[in-house]
Each structure stands twice: as C-alpha cells, then as structure tokens.
Amino acid sequence: MKKLRLTTMQRIAMGFLGIILLGGVLLWLPICNQKPIAFFDSLFTSVSAVCVTGLVTIVPAEQFTLLGKLVLLLLIQIGGLGVIACTIAFFLALRRRITMKERVVIQQAYGLDTLTGLVRFIIRILKGTLLIEGIGAVLFSLQFIPEYGVYPGIGYGIFHAISAFCNAGIDILGQNSFIDYVGSPLVNLTTMFLIVMGGLGFPVWHDIHVNTKKVLKGRKPKGRLIKRLGLQSKIVLTMTAALLLLGTAGFFLLEYNNPETMKNFSLGQKLMASGFQSVTTRTAGFAAVPQGGLTEGSKLLGCVLMFIGGSPAGTAGGVKTTTIAMLLLTALSVLRGRKDTECFGRKLDDSIVRSGITITLVTFLFWLIGTGVITVLEPRAEYLDIMYETTSAIGTVGLSADLTPSLSRASQVVLMILMYAGRIGPMTMALVFAGKARAGTQFRELPEKRIMLG
C-alpha cells in the first residue's frame, strides 16, 4: 500500500480537530465539572477554546472545577499558538532534532520565504509569547489579588492574560465578562495591549525584533527603523492603527447616548469603552458593555470589524488586515488606471492578489451559508443578532448578542463548523478537500478571452 501523505493544510486541519475532540472528552469528565454537563456542551466549549473564539453555551466560571479551568486554559494556549508551534515546542523540550520535512511544514504554515532560521523563529515566538503573557498576568494580578486573594488572584491574572493574548475571549469571571471593569483603566488597557500584540502576527514581531536589534547595535540609524520594516509589517501596522481609530470613533458616536451601554458613562469611560469595543471585535471577544444592548449601527460596524479580524500568522481570526488592504489597493489601482497593485513603492504579486480575493470570497460564502441555515432554523430570532453570532464565529471573535446559549443544537453545530473553519482558515478548509493539484494543471497555457464586467 502507498503511504498516506498529508499536505501541510491537511496536517493543520487534522491537528486542530484531534485537539478539539480530546479537549471535549477531558472537559466532559466529572472531575472537571462542578455539575453535570452534556457532552455536546463540553465539545462546543472545546471548539470555542481551541479555535480561540469565546462563544459558549455554559458559564465557564460556574461550570468547571480548577482542573477543568486548567484544561480549558491549555486548549486556549494550544489554539492561540497553533498546533505546529506547540508540536515543535514539544520536540524541542524532548531535545528531538527538527527534520527537514518539519522545517518545510513550519515554512508553509507561517508563510515564510526561507528554510533557514525556522527553529530560532519558533523559539522567538515561544519566548515572546511567554514574556507578553507574563507582563499581562502581572498587571491583571494587581487588579484581581485585592479582590480574590493572592493565589486565586494570580490564577485569574494568568488565565485572562493567556485568553486575551490568544484572542480567545473566554473568561472565568461569570456571565458579565469584563462589564464590571468598564471603569478600570488597568484591566481595559492591559486587555487591549494583549489583544493587539497577539493579533499583529508572529512574522511582524520577528521583523520588528530584528530591525530594532540592528538599530540598538548602531548598524542602522534610528530614524530609518520604520522604513527598514518589511512590506507586510508596514501594511499590518498601518491597517491595525487605522481600524482601531475608525472603530473607536464609530462606537463612540453610535453608543454615546445609548442608555443600555454608555449613556451614563463619563467622557473618559466612553472613550475607553469605545476603544475596548473596537479592539475586542478584532478578534478577542471580551465584552466591556452588554453586546445585546448595542445599537443596530454598532452591531453592523462590529460585524465588519469581526469579518476583517487581525493579521496573518498570529492568534487572531478573520480574513486578515493584509487581505483587506490588498483588496483596497487593487480597487484603487483599477480606479487610477494602473495595471499592478502597488503599496509602499512595491508591486504585489498577482498570485497574492488572486489568493486574497479567493480568501475573502470563500470566507463570505461560509458566513452566508451559515447565516442562512441558522435563519431558517431560528425563525423567531432577529436577523441582525444571527448575523452578529455567525460573524463572531467565522471571525473567531466570541462576542455574542446573548443568542448562542438559546439556539437549538442544530444551530450550535453550524456555529461550531464556522468556528473551526474560521480558525484554520476557510481557504485552508477548501484546500483540505482539494488536496494537491494534479501535475501539469498549474502550467497550462490557454487562449485568452475577455468578458464584460460591471
């Protein structure tokens, strides 16, 4: 028999699926629960944790024991770092040599251009993750220790630091999430910092780290640090800043006089809550204001931000900032009558443009089908609330308009599929079933024809 060979995409998909099933079984065990739990609910929670989404059908703080919360935390960490990075970390801990095949998998999983320095790249990811989560845990502990005591406060700090950095949005504070801390700059700013850092993407970290070292060692002038960054880093940082500012302004204006969310806040609290809402929709899932009380305009704005998500090769979901930037730049080039998609004095490869269009279209189709199915299954639910839940699922955000727990099991299965597809990527999902291209099909030259558009 021929040996079964899996593509990198299939390995990633199967890896996530295996962790999800194992997590569902572990969370179902009586030792992990304070009260009986249906296997479906434990599986749904496992999907949400591994896919770093945050949608839940139960209240984790009330459902799980300490062991259950530790299992949940481990699932979030694996989901945030990714199966590949966690596997390599395990091999490194065992002092096992990383083979060439495994290096190729790392290269393809993170979209890198070279096979050199891949192990160092993974080690930097792990060290950077530990450092940032550690900083977040210390800052959170300053808030939680006075409330819960030393050891519980440290535990709460560690859990929420990992959940925030991994953009998971799962908390163990109860049904109110972070709503009780809407006036706390420490909790809000720490959470926003962790979410943004996790959502930038590990390659951007690497680029900033390398160029910063060169500046500090005097090899490069300080004023050229930004110019020395790679094209992806420039696009990610620009899009991240623009979306955060636009989102903050949008939520501030739309919720300013909403009595169910921010009307009674001070000006400073309104600005902080608006900034938090803008950050958490990209794709963390913590709530500082009741999501069910948002205006229709805010829910629609939230859907747009959730669909875009964070940046590639990070802990965030969505179609990614670079994909949206590429689409905008392509449209701008067409309107200007230019043939190529240009950015920061560089031309984007045509294959990248085609991939970006495909990712956006496939993700939209997944979302559209999921929304349509739940609309049929839940005729009494508000359409905008359904759209909010499905966008939250496909974008692995986890914000809920208080609808997910009340949905039927069939609708919750749809959300599970959307969360899984959103975490591994809808395009990856399609490639899992497509497999490898047939030999020779990639290089066929066909007659060129034109069709009418618009």
Side-chain angles (χ1 to χ4, degrees):
M1 293 179 64
K2 293 183 178 180
K3 190 179 289 186
L4 177 64
R5 294 184 179 181
L6 300 177
T7 65
T8 300
M9 302 301 182
Q10 289 168 336
R11 290 183 183 186
I12 293 173
M14 294 298 291
F16 272 106
L17 187 60
I19 296 297
I20 286 169
L21 294 175
L22 178 60
V25 172
L26 292 176
L27 291 175
W28 183 53
L29 297 176
I31 195 173
C32 290
N33 292 274
Q34 300 184 45
K35 52 188 175 182
I37 185 174
F39 179 71
F40 185 93
D41 291 321
S42 69
L43 183 63
F44 190 99
T45 305
S46 179
V47 172
S48 185
V50 176
C51 297
V52 289
T53 304
L55 292 174
V56 289
T57 55
I58 45 87
V59 180
E62 301 172 0
Q63 178 64 50
F64 297 117
T65 61
L66 176 60
L67 179 60
K69 291 172 183 175
L70 289 174
V71 171
L72 187 62
L73 185 62
L74 182 60
L75 294 176
I76 291 171
Q77 187 71 87
I78 293 174
L81 284 175
V83 175
I84 302 299
C86 291
T87 302
I88 299 302
F90 181 70
F91 288 164
L92 291 174
L94 295 178
R95 298 185 180 277
R96 180 185 178 279
R97 181 176 174 274
I98 308 301
T99 66
M100 181 57 67
K101 182 186 291 186
E102 289 158 351
R103 292 172 189 269
V104 172
V105 170
I106 298 172
Q107 181 202 26
Q108 293 179 355
Y110 289 97
L112 302 176
D113 298 326
T114 177
L115 285 172
T116 59
L118 294 180
V119 176
R120 287 197 304 272
F121 175 74
I122 294 295
I123 292 174
R124 284 180 184 145
I125 289 176
L126 299 173
K127 287 182 177 179
T129 297
L130 184 62
L131 174 63
I132 294 173
E133 290 178 347
I135 293 172
V138 170
L139 294 175
F140 275 138
S141 296
L142 296 177
Q143 176 70 43
F144 294 135
I145 287 177
E147 292 185 39
Y148 301 102
V150 177
Y151 294 114
I154 293 174
Y156 274 64
I158 293 172
F159 187 99
H160 293 99
I162 293 176
S163 184
F165 175 77
C166 292
N167 283 213
I170 297 177
D171 66 83
I172 50 174
L173 298 172
Q175 292 183 337
N176 289 337
S177 187
F178 280 15
I179 292 175
D180 295 336
Y181 298 94
V182 67
S184 170
L186 177 62
V187 172
N188 281 264
L189 295 177
T190 299
T191 306
M192 292 164 67
F193 164 74
L194 291 168
I195 293 169
V196 171
M197 290 302 294
L200 285 178
F202 301 124
V204 175
W205 286 17
H206 178 70
D207 191 16
I208 294 175
H209 175 263
V210 169
N211 283 282
T212 301
K213 281 182 64 177
K214 291 180 180 179
V215 169
L216 293 176
K217 290 181 178 179
R219 298 180 193 172
K220 303 292 180 184
K222 296 180 180 179
R224 293 183 60 83
L225 175 59
I226 301 298
K227 293 182 179 180
R228 295 295 303 177
L229 294 177
L231 180 60
Q232 175 164 326
S233 298
K234 291 178 181 178
I235 294 175
V236 166
L237 295 174
T238 302
M239 284 293 293
T240 298
L243 289 171
L244 292 183
L245 290 174
L246 290 173
T248 300
F251 286 120
F252 181 80
L253 295 173
L254 291 167
E255 298 298 319
Y256 191 89
N257 288 316
N258 185 357
E260 296 188 45
T261 54
M262 301 194 308
K263 182 178 181 179
N264 298 323
F265 292 177
S266 66
L267 180 61
Q269 287 179 328
K270 287 180 179 179
L271 286 171
M272 188 162 60
S274 299
F276 189 97
Q277 184 70 16
S278 178
V279 171
T280 197
T281 50
R282 310 256 335 284
T283 58
F286 292 112
V289 294
Q291 299 301 294
L294 294 173
T295 63
E296 292 189 353
S298 289
K299 288 179 181 178
L300 185 59
L301 174 59
C303 286
V304 173
L305 293 175
M306 289 190 288
F307 188 81
I308 295 172
S311 301
T315 60
V319 296
K320 305 299 187 295
T321 53
T322 49
T323 304
I324 297 300
M326 182 279 303
L327 292 176
L328 294 174
L329 291 168
T330 301
L332 187 61
S333 296
V334 172
L335 293 175
R336 289 180 174 180
R338 296 179 179 175
K339 181 181 178 181
D340 301 320
T341 301
E342 302 172 3
C343 182
F344 291 107
R346 298 289 187 272
K347 170 191 170 182
L348 295 182
D349 190 274
D350 290 340
S351 64
I352 299 298
V353 176
R354 293 174 61 197
S355 294
I357 294 172
T358 304
I359 289 169
T360 306
L361 180 59
V362 173
T363 304
F364 178 77
L365 289 176
F366 267 84
W367 171 84
L368 185 63
I369 293 171
T371 304
V373 171
I374 294 181
T375 302
V376 173
L377 294 173
E378 311 290 337
R380 295 184 180 181
E382 292 289 336
Y383 177 75
L384 190 57
D385 288 342
I386 293 175
M387 191 170 78
Y388 201 74
E389 304 294 305
T390 54
T391 310
S392 180
I394 194 70
T396 68
V397 181
L399 290 173
S400 173
D402 304 325
L403 185 62
T404 295
S406 62
L407 292 175
S408 65
R409 291 303 197 194
S411 296
Q412 290 172 354
V413 168
V414 175
L415 290 181
M416 290 167 66
I417 295 171
L418 290 177
M419 286 190 286
Y420 179 69
R423 182 63 186 107
I424 67 172
M427 188 172 176
T428 300
M429 191 85 162
L431 289 173
V432 166
F433 296 103
K436 297 181 180 179
R438 293 181 182 177
T441 58
Q442 297 178 344
F443 306 102
R444 289 189 301 172
E445 289 289 342
L446 298 175
E448 188 174 292
K449 288 288 184 180
R450 299 177 68 87
I451 60 172
M452 297 175 63
L453 298 175

